[in-house]
Amino acid sequence: MGVQKRTRKFVQVKRIIGQRDSRLKKNQDKGELEGKRKAKGDDIVREIPQVSSSLFFQYNTALVPPYSILIDTNFLSHTVQHKLELLSTMMDCLYAKCIPIITDCVMAELEKLGQKYRIALRIARDERWERLKCDHKGVYADDCIVDRVMKHKVYIVATNDRDLKRRIRKIPGVPIMSVARGKYVIERLPDAPEK
């Protein structure tokens, strides 16, 4: 008697056709439209992005001293944490003259971070560094830096942000500077001095 109560009777279970079932008229129409789109898509000529003329394989010939270095918010905060001086430590790393460049987006991001990052903001406001005006909407610094580096491959990007590094590594010929072990380290710069 207990076994019969546990099993559901077939008559009680209603069989319903699902919304995505291919037997429904609206889903058959969708399938036909997708088939037509795929047929049209085969004729499209794919564009290959133009490779920068300054690249010799992965080697960027446009990168010559004095180096222009785009600085990220994260890099400035790590510099403050490790008590490093920005310009002299960059010159020690590259053995060449460096021009630190700070975009408006980075400044806005530092101002938004508030009281905790006031020293990094004071360093960023120094008149010795070059300032770049941003002509886009929003103040997300990572997108701004990646966009600028894609257009002009004459910058070294200074960042400690893992996601930004991953995005920049996909762009050929753009070196990355970061703070590690109490000094600045550079990657993907062929002329960089070995330490």
Side-chain angles (χ1 to χ4, degrees), residues 74-86 89 119-120 123 160 178-185:
N74 204 293
F75 185 80
L76 278 171
S77 68
H78 277 270
T79 300
V80 171
Q81 281 176 1
H82 289 282
K83 296 178 179 154
L84 298 171
E85 197 175 322
L86 191 70
T89 318
I119 300 168
I123 290 169
N160 266 49
S178 56
V179 182
R181 298 179 299 277
K183 61 180 182 182
Y184 293 164
V185 289

Side-chain angles (χ1 to χ4, degrees), residues 42-55:
D42 294 339
D43 301 336
I44 296 172
V45 177
R46 305 222 185 278
E47 289 186 29
I48 300 168
Q50 182 67 36
V51 179
S52 175
S53 60
S54 65
L55 285 179

Side-chain angles (χ1 to χ4, degrees), residues 101-135:
I101 299 171
I102 297 172
T103 62
D104 288 344
C105 293
V106 171
M107 287 299 286
E109 209 172 83
L110 277 168
E111 287 165 2
K112 247 195 269 183
L113 288 170
Q115 199 64 17
K116 192 177 177 186
Y117 293 87
R118 67 184 181 280
I119 300 168
L121 183 61
R122 190 181 294 168
I123 290 169
R125 283 192 177 138
D126 196 334
E127 273 89 44
R128 292 179 291 175
W129 323 144
E130 197 174 305
R131 293 288 300 274
L132 277 180
K133 298 274 183 239
C134 297
D135 55 353

